[in-house]
Amino acid sequence: MVAPSPAHASDKRPYVRGGQTVPTYSYADAIHESVWVQTPDDADEDGVPDRVAVDLVRPRTAPGVKVPVIMDASPYYACCGRGNESELKEYDENGVISKEPLFYDNYFVPRGYAFAGVDLTGTNRSTGCEDVGGPHEVAGAKAAIDWLNGRARGFAADGSPVTAKAWTTGKVGMIGKSWDGSIANGVAATGVKGLETIVPISAISSWYDYMRYNGTLRSTDYPNYLQGVVSDRIAECAAVTESLANDSAEDTADYNAFWAARDYRPSASRVHASVFVVHGVNDLNVATPQFAKWWDELADAGVPRKIWLHQTGHVDPFDLRRAEWVDTLHEWFDRWLQGLHNGVDHEPRATIETAPGVFSQARDWPLPGTRNVTAKLGTGVAAYTDQGLSEAAAVTDPGTPVAGRLAFQYGPLTRPLRISGSPSVRLRVRVDQPTTQLTAKLVDYGTAARVQYNRGEGVQTTGTESCWGESTAADDACYFDVTERVATTDYAVLTRGYQDAAHHVSLRLTTPLQPGRWYSITVPVNAYDAIVPAGHTLGLVLTQSDSATEAPDTGATVEVDLARSTLVLPVSGPATLTPTAAKPRTTSGLTGGVRPERERP
C-alpha cells in the first residue's frame, strides 16, 4: 500500500478510499443488462449490419457517478465455458444475463467497476460470422468499446436504442485467457480510443505462428476446426468458412494476406493501452513466441507494460497464485482504469517463477544484461535420417546413439545457467530431399523437482474452495482451489523449435532445397526462462518430423557440419558451454510418428 496523495484524499468517487477502490456497492443489487451492439461489418452478407451481444453487470450507482468497464470478449461463453470449472453464461426468463463466468463481476462490481462479457462475432447470441482471429472478430469487440464511448449504436432485445453514457466513464480494460486474450491484443492493435489497458493471458499475437511453426503445418483444417467448435452459424457463413479453408495456404504453409490480417504485431505502434502479459513458459498450446515477440514489439513502441511468467502450461494465474493475482490485478485496474497512482506501474516489470512455487522479480524481461552465448556442436560431419521419433525417445539417454536424432551435451555445469529469452540453433546442413522439418529441443538433464506441465497443464484441482467477491443464488464467487503438479524427475524438455527447411529464406514462399548443396538454416527455439542448476547437463537434441506438427516423415537424411553449426543461448550471468559426451553418428531407417489432437486457444 502507498499513502494516499492529496488527489486521493479529495476523491469524490464513493468507491475510492485510501487510494484504492473498495467494496461499496451490493452485488446482489447490481444491474444486469443485455445489449446488442451494431458493428461496421455484414460478415454473413444478409444485408443487415452484424451485432455483438454485450452482457453487462454494473453497480447501481447514484446519478452522476460513473464507472469504468472490465471486458472479456470470448467465443466460448456457450460452447465450452471459461475458467478451470468451464463456466457458461446463464440467462433469466427474459433473456437477460443472470450469471457471468469467472470472478471478475463478483469481485470488481462492488468496487466501482462494470463487467462486460462480449460474445465474439458469430458465437452465442451474436450475429455475423466467426473468422478465427480475423477482422470480423476484432471489429465486433472494438464496436463494444465504441458503444461504451458513444460511437456505436446499441439495442435492447426489443430493438429499442440503448446508450451507456449515463453510467460509464468509457474507460475499458480487456482481459482474457487464450482466444479471449488474443482478441484483446487484436483490439489494442487498432488503437481504439477508450481502451486503457489489456491483460492478455496465454494469448496469441500472430495466428500464423499459432497454426504454422515457421512454415510447418501444425494441424490440418485448423481454422475451420476452431470455427466449428465455437460457432453454430456455419450455414449462414459460407463465404467466411470457404475463406478459412482456401485462403490459409494449407498446401504450402506460406504466410500470406490471410495471415497478415490475423497478425497483430506489426500494429504494435498503434497500441495506446498499457499491457499486462501473463504466460506459462511451458505452454504447448499457445507457444511462448506469442508473448515474446509481442512483448518486444510493445517495448519498441514504448507501451507501458508488465509481465508474469510461470512454469506451468496453458494456465490462468487465478489457478496458480490466486491471492497474489487478484491483488495485483486489482492494483493494475485501479491504476489504468481509475487513474489511482498506487505505484504498481513503478514496481519491477517482470515476475518470474524460477522453481516450483518460487517467484522472483526483475527489472525487465529478458533479464537486463542478458547476452547471447554461442556453443559449437562439435567437429566433423554427422548425419541423421527422419524417424518420426516420439519426444521421449528423442531425448532419453543423450549419450547413447539413437537412430533419427543427434544429441549434444554441455556439462555438467560448474555453475547455474540462467536462460532468459529466445534461443536458436544455427545449422550448416545438406539435405537429400527438397525439404524436411528441422526440430531442436533443449533439455535439462539432472534430478530435480519440476512442474509436470504435460499432465493437466501442470496444475491439479483440490477439494477445497475459496471465494473472491460477493455471491448470489444465481452467481457465486467461490472456486475450487488449484495447486501446481510437481514431481521429481531425471530430466525435462525446456523448450522446442521447428523450421521447415524450404521456408528458410522466407515464410512467404517456399525455396526447395537442392540435394547435395550446403545451406545455412536457423531453427528459432521458443522463448524461455529457466535456471539450469549447477551439476546438471544442458542437452540439445536435433530431430526432424515431430508429434507436435503435421510434417510428414520424409525419410530425409540431414548432414550437419558440426564445426559450422552453433547453439545460441540468451544467458544472464556467467556461462561457459563446452560440448561433452556428444556421440552423433550417421543413422538410417524410418518409423511412423504419433500425431497430436488439435487444441483450442
Side-chain angles (χ1 to χ4, degrees):
M1 294 296 298
V2 295
S5 67
H8 295 156
S10 61
D11 201 309
K12 295 182 179 180
R13 289 170 290 184
Y15 50 83
V16 174
R17 290 179 223 149
Q20 65 176 352
T21 58
V22 297
T24 303
Y25 302 101
S26 166
Y27 181 74
D29 194 38
I31 297 171
H32 290 65
E33 187 175 15
S34 295
V35 179
W36 282 260
V37 173
Q38 183 170 298
T39 83
D41 294 342
D42 179 15
D44 51 15
E45 300 179 346
D46 63 354
V48 179
D50 300 333
R51 293 182 180 182
V52 292
V54 181
D55 292 316
L56 293 157
V57 181
R58 55 187 175 89
R60 194 175 296 276
T61 58
V65 176
K66 298 185 177 184
V67 299
V69 179
I70 296 168
M71 177 185 295
D72 187 346
S74 176
Y76 290 133
Y77 283 130
C79 73
C80 315
R82 303 312 297 133
N84 186 51
E85 298 174 33
S86 300
E87 292 185 301
L88 301 172
K89 281 184 176 179
E90 297 179 10
Y91 305 92
D92 65 17
E93 64 276 8
N94 298 313
V96 176
I97 187 71
S98 59
K99 174 183 172 62
E100 298 268 23
L102 307 175
F103 77 100
Y104 303 132
D105 55 328
N106 307 83
Y107 183 86
F108 284 104
V109 167
R111 289 169 166 80
Y113 292 85
F115 177 76
V118 179
D119 296 329
L120 288 184
T121 300
T123 69
N124 198 17
R125 301 200 297 176
S126 293
T127 64
C129 298
E130 168 54 61
D131 62 344
V132 189
H136 296 314
E137 270 191 5
V138 172
K142 176 181 177 292
I145 297 173
D146 285 333
W147 173 72
L148 290 165
N149 284 275
R151 300 188 297 266
R153 301 175 68 191
F155 304 89
D158 62 5
S160 59
V162 180
T163 67
K165 63 182 179 181
W167 58 265
T168 182
T169 63
K171 293 184 176 182
V172 179
M174 293 187 71
I175 188 171
K177 176 192 168 188
S178 202
W179 199 327
D180 308 17
S182 309
I183 296 306
N185 285 337
V187 174
T190 70
V192 60
K193 293 182 178 179
L195 183 59
E196 303 297 325
T197 192
I198 63 172
V199 185
I201 302 166
S202 306
I204 295 165
S205 59
S206 164
W207 286 81
Y208 176 87
D209 282 359
Y210 180 69
M211 299 188 191
R212 309 285 189 266
Y213 291 158
N214 294 305
T216 292
L217 189 67
R218 179 175 179 177
S219 186
T220 56
D221 302 320
Y222 214 162
N224 292 93
Y225 161 75
L226 290 177
Q227 182 197 42
V229 167
V230 301
S231 179
D232 60 1
R233 293 178 54 80
I234 307 301
E236 296 91 335
C237 297
V240 170
T241 302
E242 182 179 1
S243 175
L244 293 176
N246 297 335
D247 297 338
S248 57
E250 184 159 302
D251 55 335
T252 64
D254 291 348
Y255 180 98
N256 58 14
F258 175 92
W259 295 110
R262 292 160 173 79
D263 187 350
Y264 313 135
R265 296 171 194 158
S267 298
S269 62
R270 301 181 65 185
V271 175
H272 302 302
S274 63
V275 181
F276 188 172
V277 170
V278 182
H279 216 102
V281 296
N282 290 307
D283 192 335
L284 302 184
N285 181 350
V286 179
T288 55
Q290 296 292 346
F291 86 80
K293 293 181 179 181
W294 182 232
W295 179 259
D296 289 345
E297 295 289 348
L298 295 172
D300 290 343
V303 173
R305 63 204 188 283
K306 186 176 181 66
I307 190 168
W308 272 26
L309 299 177
H310 53 85
Q311 292 194 354
T312 63
H314 201 58
V315 173
D316 191 306
F318 185 72
D319 298 316
L320 183 67
R321 305 178 75 207
R322 188 164 292 180
E324 294 87 350
W325 171 243
V326 174
D327 285 348
T328 304
L329 188 63
H330 183 185
E331 291 180 342
W332 187 259
F333 282 146
D334 274 4
R335 169 65 185 89
W336 296 105
L337 297 183
Q338 303 283 4
L340 301 175
H341 294 279
N342 52 22
V344 68
D345 50 329
H346 298 297
E347 296 174 353
R349 186 172 287 150
T351 299
I352 305 164
E353 187 178 19
T354 56
V358 178
F359 290 82
S360 62
Q361 293 187 320
R363 187 160 44 86
D364 207 343
W365 191 88
L367 297 183
T370 296
R371 71 198 191 286
N372 282 334
V373 172
T374 61
K376 295 290 186 181
L377 301 194
T379 59
V381 175
Y384 60 112
T385 299
D386 195 359
Q387 297 284 301
L389 295 173
S390 69
E391 184 163 272
V395 303
T396 302
D397 298 327
T400 302
V402 172
R405 79 171 186 194
L406 296 180
F408 308 89
Q409 298 179 73
Y410 303 88
L413 301 174
T414 59
R415 63 184 73 189
L417 176 69
R418 180 65 179 269
I419 302 170
S420 183
S422 301
S424 62
V425 183
R426 299 172 183 169
L427 298 175
R428 184 70 174 170
V429 296
R430 184 164 58 186
V431 185
D432 67 353
Q433 301 284 347
T435 192
T436 190
Q437 177 177 295
L438 300 174
T439 300
K441 303 176 190 290
L442 285 180
V443 189
D444 172 12
Y445 293 103
T447 302
R450 297 181 171 99
V451 173
Q452 301 301 290
Y453 60 85
N454 278 316
R455 294 184 57 206
E457 302 293 348
V459 296
Q460 54 191 346
T461 304
T462 72
T464 64
E465 282 190 336
S466 56
C467 303
W468 303 87
E470 296 182 27
S471 297
T472 64
D475 191 342
D476 73 274
C478 303
Y479 295 87
F480 286 111
D481 297 315
V482 180
T483 62
E484 283 188 320
R485 194 185 297 268
V486 179
T488 299
T489 60
D490 293 334
Y491 72 87
V493 179
L494 300 177
T495 184
R496 305 150 179 85
Y498 311 93
Q499 176 68 52
D500 173 57
H503 280 90
H504 76 282
V505 175
S506 171
L507 294 177
R508 294 182 178 273
L509 51 87
T510 56
T511 307
L513 306 183
Q514 298 179 23
R517 178 179 172 182
W518 287 95
Y519 293 86
S520 295
I521 300 178
T522 296
V523 180
V525 177
N526 294 342
Y528 208 72
D529 196 288
I531 299 174
V532 183
H536 285 209
T537 296
L538 180 68
L540 168 65
V541 177
L542 302 180
T543 59
Q544 295 180 58
S545 59
D546 185 270
S547 61
T549 72
E550 289 286 350
D553 302 332
T554 63
T557 295
V558 176
E559 296 175 84
V560 182
D561 183 341
L562 302 180
R564 300 179 67 184
S565 301
T566 56
L567 167 64
V568 182
L569 277 185
V571 172
S572 174
T576 302
L577 294 176
T578 304
T580 57
K583 299 178 181 178
R585 69 174 187 180
T586 301
T587 59
S588 61
L590 183 65
T591 61
V594 178
R595 294 302 174 210
E597 295 183 3
R598 285 177 283 195
E599 298 178 274
R600 296 193 298 269

